[in-house]
Amino acid sequence: MAARSFRLSVTQRTLLVIAVLAVALFGYWATRGAGAAPPASSSSAPVPVSAADAQKQLGELTIADRTSMDGYSREKFPHWDSQGSGCDTREVVLKRDGKDVKTDKDCKATSGTWTSIYDGETWTKATDLDIDHMVPLGQAWASGAKSWTTEKREQFANDLTRPQLFAVTDNVNQQKSDKAPDQWKPPLVSFWCTYATDWIVVKHYYGLTVTQAEKTALTDMLRRC
């Protein structure tokens, strides 16, 4: 006997479509209502390298005078890039570096607690924080990034893999500006070791130069490790 063909009625097909759409919409609004979540791969800060490894990398850096800042602008280091899930680089760092951070449907931090690694101060408003580039954009420009492509400068400005981006007290970040460690150090002396290792790792990865004064300051900071 021939098999009976299975066909849905118009009403059944309509109900099936409605059910599928309802499931899809529920998932969408559930995600939006809970706040956009940054990518899982960016959920933790890079682990600092050992002082010995940092000292080795420091010895491999080229020593050279800083070039002029002619032609520099922050616009030549495009940021903040989209990192998926509706979040940009700044928002990912705020979520990563904070505690109990809540975000709205657009991934903006609405509440949380942040302790700045530079001065140990604690903040409860995201507006009190800057996302600092460990090696500042202007410092990078004067130590090699001037000759980079825009794509490489964009990678540098949004690097979540190396210890390059941190949420810190805004006015402390403004004091740092584009200064190297021979010109500025974090007020929190206990962070000097990590500051030096992080700085070296970033400069080493990107092939940036250091001045002799900068190298001396970094070497002195590594002695605190």
Side-chain angles (χ1 to χ4, degrees):
M1 184 174 69
R4 178 184 297 176
S5 61
F6 180 76
R7 299 181 63 185
L8 295 175
S9 67
V10 173
T11 300
Q12 288 173 319
R13 289 198 298 270
T14 301
L15 290 173
L16 180 60
V17 171
I18 292 173
V20 170
L21 288 174
V23 170
L25 285 171
F26 176 80
Y28 172 78
W29 287 111
T31 302
R32 298 280 286 187
S41 60
S42 305
S43 60
S44 60
V47 177
V49 303
S50 68
D53 286 343
Q55 188 69 61
K56 180 178 182 296
Q57 291 185 22
L58 179 59
E60 295 170 350
L61 295 180
T62 299
I63 298 176
D65 292 336
R66 295 184 189 110
T67 63
S68 75
M69 295 289 284
D70 290 350
Y72 167 73
S73 73
R74 289 179 65 85
E75 286 68 32
K76 292 186 177 179
F77 293 79
H79 61 289
W80 303 110
D81 285 355
S82 171
Q83 297 295 336
S85 301
C87 305
D88 66 23
T89 306
R90 172 183 166 83
E91 293 155 353
V92 168
V93 176
L94 284 172
K95 180 73 173 180
R96 182 198 71 190
D97 289 358
K99 181 180 179 181
D100 300 325
V101 178
K102 305 297 182 185
T103 58
D104 62 17
K105 61 183 178 62
D106 296 317
C107 203
K108 304 294 184 183
T110 56
S111 63
T113 302
W114 294 266
T115 299
S116 170
I117 54 177
Y118 287 171
D119 56 356
E121 295 294 328
T122 299
W123 306 97
T124 56
K125 293 192 299 184
T127 52
D128 288 325
L129 298 149
D130 282 350
I131 303 305
D132 174 61
H133 291 91
M134 172 58 65
V135 176
L137 306 183
Q139 166 64 212
W141 179 267
S143 56
K146 182 177 183 178
S147 64
W148 292 353
T149 63
T150 300
E151 289 73 21
K152 186 172 181 178
R153 289 196 289 265
E154 182 175 14
Q155 177 195 354
F156 179 85
N158 295 274
D159 192 343
L160 292 164
T161 303
R162 263 61 55 180
Q164 168 68 340
L165 297 169
F166 299 94
V168 301
T169 305
D170 53 5
N171 64 332
V172 174
N173 184 48
Q174 290 154 22
Q175 291 167 12
K176 175 185 176 183
S177 186
D178 293 316
K179 301 181 180 72
D182 56 304
Q183 303 165 315
W184 184 90
K185 297 178 180 65
L188 195 62
V189 177
S190 60
F191 187 67
W192 283 10
C193 168
T194 303
Y195 190 78
T197 61
D198 287 353
W199 183 282
I200 292 166
V201 165
V202 173
K203 280 218 160 179
H204 186 270
Y205 180 82
Y206 284 97
L208 296 169
T209 62
V210 292
T211 66
Q212 185 57 60
E214 181 183 348
K215 183 175 182 178
T216 299
L218 289 165
T219 300
D220 290 343
M221 293 169 80
L222 288 176
R223 293 194 182 105
R224 294 180 176 272
C225 295

